[in-house]
């Protein structure tokens, strides 16, 4: 099958699925459901009926969450199988985010069990232990008695060099923060490497989407760690992802170099996200009292994340009207699939904790 025929086949298959997801009333029905049991009932008449069966048998929301993760992984793997090698590499690199998240969760549990000497038997039961992208031995990792066992379980993966650069003593003394930042960068580097393998049109689409995300992630990290947690310049530089406009900007360099108490995010916001500058400025002015720094952080973060969510929805929706022989429809499908999974998980948790539909809607969009 040549590239044109392959895209035509994939696009027809995925457009039909996107149409079903966008026309579905499942999310609204679940939000309107008065109780968790009623929300689960909405799943019974949908493609997520197996989740309702899990609830009937176990009543376990975490097990339902694992099932959603498995479904998401299977969706990415299916599209990769139907793609040519370069496109498959790109799709699996996107799936690598799930793998990296699973890796961080596994290491956190290992750290809790071996370093902190806490019981992890209950929580480890919910780890995903099958292959995602790379050959990580999840069972060996969670059962490792020391750090060398963790490193060995990830041998031959893109994460091995990162894990090898830390010792158990490093983690005992300094915790997992630096390690997790390094793992983030390893995955992002692999993702951008896969983008570079794409053809010109596909590469432009991917760059437009991902570089915008890098800017927002960097801005949120700089505000959180630089302004509110007073991280020094040397450590703050480490959390910045080296892609996008913000990372290369003078405003970013000036912000990092400033004393923590003098750092002002507004020049960066005005440069990269002028659409929300006035909103963030009002938030900053409203919370000058140092006692409200956590509230300010939450407010700024929510405003910027809401903006990104709205913009991303527009961007992915617009992909459906672009050249059908590009990755646009594939990216849109994976976006809508992941979003629907996230919404279902958030609604189930929100109903469990008794949140109102309005409160849950703020999270799910």
């Amino acid at each position: 099958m040549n590239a044109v025929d392959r895209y035509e086949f994939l696009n027809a298959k995925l457009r039909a699925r996107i149409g079903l997801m966008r026309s579905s009333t499942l999310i609204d029905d679940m939000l309107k459901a008065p109780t968790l049991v009623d929300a689960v009932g909405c799943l019974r008449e949908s493609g997520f009926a197996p989740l309702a069966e899990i609830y009937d048998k176990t009543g376990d929301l975490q097990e339902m969450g694992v099932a959603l993760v498995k479904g998401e992984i299977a969706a990415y793997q299916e599209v990769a199988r139907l793609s040519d090698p370069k496109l498959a590499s790109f799709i699996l690199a996107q799936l690598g985010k799930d793998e990296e998240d699973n890796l961080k969760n596994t290491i956190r549990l290992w750290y809790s069990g071996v370093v902190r000497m806490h019981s992890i038997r209950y929580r480890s039961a919910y780890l995903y232990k099958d292959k995602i992208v790379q050959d990580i031995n999840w069972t060996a990792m969670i059962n490792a008695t020391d750090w060398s066992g963790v490193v060995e379980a990830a041998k031959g993966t893109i994460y091995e060099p990162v894990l090898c650069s830390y010792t158990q003593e490093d983690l005992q003394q300094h915790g997992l923060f630096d390690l997790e930042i390094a793992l983030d960068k390893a995955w992002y580097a692999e993702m951008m490497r896969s983008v570079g393998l794409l053809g010109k049109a596909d590469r432009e689409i991917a760059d437009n989407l991902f570089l915008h995300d890098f800017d927002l992630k960097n801005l949120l990290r700089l505000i959180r760690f630089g302004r509110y947690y007073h991280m020094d310049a040397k450590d703050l530089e480490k959390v910045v992802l080296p892609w996008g406009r913000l990372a290369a900007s003078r405003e970013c360099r000036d912000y990092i170099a400033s004393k923590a108490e003098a750092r002002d995010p507004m020049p960066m916001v005005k440069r990269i996200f002028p659409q929300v500058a006035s909103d963030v400025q009002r938030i900053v002015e409203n919370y000058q009292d140092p006692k409200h720094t956590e509230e300010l952080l939450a407010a700024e973060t929510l405003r910027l994340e809401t903006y990104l969510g709205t913009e991303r929805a527009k961007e992915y929706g617009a992909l459906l009207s672009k050249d059908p022989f590009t990755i646009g429809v594939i990216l849109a499908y994976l976006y809508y699939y992941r979003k629907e999974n996230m919404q279902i998980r958030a609604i189930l948790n929100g109903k469990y904790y008794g949140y109102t539909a309005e409160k849950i809607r703020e999270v799910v969009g």
Side-chain angles (χ1 to χ4, degrees), residues 139-355:
T139 300
M141 183 175 289
I142 195 62
N143 291 323
T145 56
D146 58 24
W147 183 243
S148 65
V150 174
V151 176
E152 179 65 23
K155 188 174 182 178
T157 71
I158 63 169
Y159 301 110
E160 182 186 5
V162 176
L163 301 180
C164 283
S165 65
Y166 291 84
T167 67
Q168 189 159 325
E169 290 71 25
D170 292 333
L171 303 180
Q172 287 172 330
Q173 293 178 23
H174 306 295
L176 298 177
F177 180 80
D178 285 350
L179 171 64
E180 292 192 358
I181 292 296
L183 291 173
D184 282 347
K185 288 185 175 180
W187 172 71
Y188 283 121
E190 176 66 11
M191 184 189 75
M192 295 308 292
R193 184 197 66 79
S194 75
V195 170
L197 298 176
L198 297 173
K200 182 180 178 182
D202 287 344
R203 191 166 61 249
E204 288 178 355
I205 290 172
D207 278 341
N208 286 338
L209 289 171
F210 299 145
L211 294 180
H212 187 71
D213 278 2
F214 282 129
D215 285 335
L216 186 95
K217 286 181 174 70
N218 278 332
L219 181 60
L220 294 177
R221 287 182 173 193
L222 288 165
I223 291 174
R224 179 179 293 111
F225 300 122
R227 180 179 171 95
Y228 297 110
Y229 298 143
H230 293 182
M231 189 175 283
D232 62 37
K234 182 180 178 181
D235 289 332
L236 190 56
E237 276 187 309
K238 294 178 183 178
V239 310
V240 177
L241 302 167
W243 299 279
R245 293 181 299 157
L246 182 60
S249 71
R250 176 181 57 80
E251 289 82 359
C252 177
R253 293 193 298 273
D254 290 345
Y255 180 90
I256 291 173
S258 299
K259 292 182 179 180
E261 60 273 13
R263 286 175 179 145
D264 180 6
M266 291 312 301
M268 295 188 297
V269 174
K270 291 175 181 177
R271 169 73 182 276
I272 308 299
F273 297 105
Q275 301 91 329
V276 292
S278 58
D279 297 287
V280 176
Q281 183 64 57
R282 280 196 296 274
I283 294 169
V284 172
E285 291 171 354
N286 289 339
Y287 289 97
Q288 293 298 326
D289 187 338
K291 291 184 295 185
H292 295 304
T293 55
E294 288 296 329
E295 294 177 54
L296 174 54
L297 174 59
E300 284 183 334
T301 300
L302 180 60
R303 178 68 185 97
L304 290 171
E305 288 181 339
T306 300
Y307 165 74
L308 176 65
T310 302
E311 290 300 303
R312 290 186 82 209
K314 291 179 183 177
E315 290 168 356
Y316 280 100
L319 291 177
L320 296 174
S321 62
K322 295 186 181 298
D323 184 351
F325 303 111
T326 66
I327 61 171
V329 172
I330 296 170
L331 285 174
Y333 167 69
L334 295 174
Y335 165 76
Y336 286 119
Y337 192 104
R338 189 185 289 267
K339 181 179 178 181
E340 187 173 46
N341 272 13
M342 180 276 292
Q343 290 175 319
I344 291 171
R345 188 180 294 113
I347 293 170
L348 291 174
N349 286 324
K351 296 294 182 181
Y352 175 81
Y353 287 108
Y355 296 147

Side-chain angles (χ1 to χ4, degrees), residues 114-133:
V114 173
V115 178
R116 298 294 190 188
M117 303 296 289
H118 297 157
S119 173
I120 63 169
R121 179 174 298 181
Y122 171 74
R123 288 177 292 162
S124 65
Y126 297 104
L127 282 176
Y128 187 86
K129 298 184 178 74
D130 294 329
K131 181 175 178 178
I132 302 176
V133 179

